[in-house]
Amino acid sequence: MFSLKNISNLKDEINMDAVAQLGEKVKDMSGRVRYMGDNRLLKNTGWLLAGAAIGSLLSHFLDPQEGQRRRTEIKDKALSMGKTVQDATRRRFEDLNSRVRGAASDAQDAIQAGMEKRA
């Protein structure tokens, strides 16, 4: 059986500096493990959320009852957006073309005026 006298004798035999060093090592290791665990948890949570989002989108668009309507709606919106971008681009190039032609015409008129003035 243990008694207070035995515990007191045991305390005298233990190297307290070694115990302190061991405690510091355990504390340092537990901090590293906790950090690694938190990091893994964040990565796993991110993948879990990404997988849930992808699964939700797939089930939304592959739904046998409403999926075809949703896919058609998305396709129509994409085509409409493409046409809008194409029309806006065409108008921009037409505007740029007319501005360049106007600047070229102004330059040509200025050159002809300068030549007539010399003559």
Side-chain angles (χ1 to χ4, degrees):
M1 298 243 348
F2 286 106
S3 69
L4 291 176
K5 188 175 181 182
N6 289 341
I7 292 174
S8 173
N9 290 340
L10 185 61
K11 182 179 175 188
D12 291 338
E13 293 176 17
I14 296 174
N15 183 349
M16 293 308 283
D17 290 334
V19 171
Q21 288 176 353
L22 182 62
E24 288 297 318
K25 287 182 181 180
V26 168
K27 185 178 177 184
D28 184 46
M29 289 174 64
S30 69
R32 288 184 201 161
V33 169
R34 189 176 320 120
Y35 175 73
M36 287 170 47
D38 290 345
N39 197 13
R40 281 191 218 126
L41 179 64
L42 288 175
K43 285 181 181 177
N44 290 340
T45 303
W47 282 111
L48 177 70
L49 292 175
I54 290 169
S56 177
L57 283 172
L58 284 175
S59 68
H60 186 71
F61 289 113
L62 298 178
D63 176 23
Q65 295 172 350
E66 295 291 323
Q68 181 63 42
R69 180 189 60 79
R70 291 179 185 131
R71 289 189 298 273
T72 303
E73 186 177 324
I74 292 293
K75 182 181 86 170
D76 291 344
K77 284 183 180 182
L79 290 173
S80 174
M81 187 182 304
K83 185 168 174 31
T84 301
V85 168
Q86 186 179 18
D87 290 344
T89 304
R90 181 186 47 78
R91 284 194 305 270
R92 281 279 217 211
F93 277 116
E94 287 175 356
D95 179 56
L96 182 61
N97 186 22
S98 66
R99 288 176 190 237
V100 168
R101 286 179 187 254
S105 176
D106 290 344
Q108 188 177 14
D109 290 345
I111 291 171
Q112 281 182 348
M115 291 176 89
E116 289 175 358
K117 197 174 190 183
R118 279 184 155 182

